[in-house]
Amino acid sequence: MSGAVDLTALKERADAQRQQAQRSAQAARTAPPADGAAPPSPGGSPPAGDGGAVIDVTEATFETEVLARSQQQLVLVDLWAEWCGPCKQLSPVLERLAGQAQGSWVLAKIDVDANPRIAQAFRAQSIPMVVAIAQGQPVAAFNGVRSEAEISQWVGEILSQLGDVLPGAMPADAEPEEDDPRMVAAADKLNGGDFEGALADYRAIAEAEPNNVEAASAARNLEFVLRAQAHDPAIVDNAAPADVDAQLAAADVLLLSQQPEAAFDRIIGVVKVTAGDDRTRARTRLLELFELFDPAEPFVVAARRKLATALY
């Protein structure tokens, strides 16, 4: 099927909606805890479905959850609808196999009634329809109901043909990697309410292993959440224009309330009217906040341009 289905238009539409989707994901990571509950685990929103093996996908998330993910891992797209009887037979089989796949592939479930452009992009004449996606392109597909054994054989053949093309996929018979006990201990502290202890653990791991992206990301996210929650939300309205500390605090509050553009603009405003150490401090803080997001986010790209203009 490679090259037979043009997903370009669908990707462009998803890109146009991606900013809002990413804001929602960031909100889930950084929302303040309610009633004393622990803040969400840093470093990214938790995987959906069966340990991340089953994902509900929409037109807004198709680019990130299917096309981008397929660069690292085989994605099976399950096109279904509530009224489709055969879909209700096939979907549980696919979900069960995905849960048993140990990371060799992931199932992306798409309701064609709610997401008609995706069905059009795949030229779906009937459902259920299952499409295998690798490196952003369809590589195989089938329509109708198949047995568990038939599907397992079909997926196995695809994975064998792909070989080492997908670096993030584990072979179907591979043993899952054991969790790092240090990361587990840090997560346990976080979930138990010992935020400072969890932060200390994440920092220690990141310092000992500079290439440990997960620990560094967890530390950055937790540092931000704890710092932002310590500010009085009224600082957004009360911060004096010349008070650098107050303006940086206001930016934290704005970002915690899912207003990244406003937060970035607040700091860029400080950069414009300061010099020396104050300007350096504001610029450094802004760069730190950028690291909480995908660098390709439109609002991050726009803020970087504004910062460059403010500096030069």
Side-chain angles (χ1 to χ4, degrees):
M1 281 189 68
S2 182
V5 178
D6 183 9
L7 301 179
T8 303
L10 195 61
K11 180 180 184 299
E12 290 175 351
R13 177 176 174 81
D15 285 341
Q17 301 178 27
R18 187 179 177 208
Q19 179 175 343
Q20 182 59 41
Q22 288 295 329
R23 285 184 189 174
S24 298
Q26 183 66 16
R29 291 198 296 269
T30 61
D35 301 326
S41 177
S45 53
D50 184 6
V54 181
I55 305 166
D56 288 317
V57 174
T58 66
E59 291 173 4
T61 62
F62 182 84
E63 193 274 332
T64 53
E65 294 289 13
V66 176
L67 299 184
R69 186 187 291 264
S70 72
Q71 299 295 332
Q72 298 289 323
Q73 183 180 29
L74 179 66
V75 179
L76 297 192
V77 173
D78 175 20
L79 299 174
W80 67 281
E82 186 63 35
W83 49 263
C84 172
C87 297
K88 295 179 180 179
Q89 293 178 260
L90 180 65
S91 289
V93 177
L94 292 170
E95 292 170 11
R96 182 166 58 253
L97 289 173
Q100 298 169 356
Q102 297 183 344
S104 59
W105 57 277
V106 66
L107 179 66
K109 295 177 60 63
I110 300 175
D111 182 344
V112 297
D113 287 340
N115 305 278
R117 290 179 179 82
I118 296 179
Q120 293 168 9
F122 284 118
R123 302 175 186 174
Q125 300 296 316
S126 64
I127 56 172
M129 179 179 183
V130 178
V131 185
I133 309 290
Q135 293 193 312
Q137 291 294 328
V139 295
F142 70 81
N143 288 87
V145 177
R146 292 194 181 185
S147 69
E148 186 168 326
E150 289 175 318
I151 297 171
S152 294
Q153 180 179 357
W154 181 72
V155 174
E157 290 174 353
I158 294 171
L159 291 172
S160 296
Q161 292 171 3
L162 292 174
D164 297 329
V165 169
L166 301 176
M170 295 189 300
D173 58 352
E175 292 293 329
E177 293 185 7
E178 293 185 6
D179 292 330
D180 185 333
R182 300 169 302 168
M183 295 292 288
V184 172
D188 287 343
K189 289 182 180 180
L190 182 66
N191 294 331
D194 183 6
F195 308 141
E196 295 296 340
L199 179 56
D201 285 357
Y202 286 129
R203 282 173 173 167
I205 298 170
E207 290 173 1
E209 300 176 5
N211 294 326
N212 192 320
V213 176
E214 183 180 1
S217 177
R220 284 196 301 269
N221 279 275
L222 190 51
E223 284 171 354
F224 166 72
V225 171
L226 294 178
R227 186 182 71 232
Q229 289 176 344
H231 301 315
D232 181 352
I235 196 72
V236 173
D237 298 318
N238 299 336
D243 188 337
V244 175
D245 288 332
Q247 291 295 333
L248 296 182
D252 282 345
V253 173
L254 287 168
L255 188 57
L256 190 64
S257 61
Q258 301 114 51
Q259 300 179 65
E261 295 98 331
F264 297 161
D265 285 346
R266 182 69 69 110
I267 300 178
I268 291 169
V270 174
V271 171
K272 289 179 179 178
V273 299
T274 55
D277 291 342
D278 284 343
R279 170 177 274 203
T280 299
R281 189 151 53 94
R283 174 181 173 275
T284 300
R285 173 62 60 82
L286 184 57
L287 294 178
E288 290 173 354
L289 296 184
F290 285 162
E291 292 182 354
L292 300 176
F293 297 88
D294 183 334
E297 281 294 348
F299 54 81
V300 174
V301 174
R304 286 188 179 277
R305 289 173 181 164
K306 292 180 181 178
L307 176 61
T309 300
L311 290 171
Y312 304 107

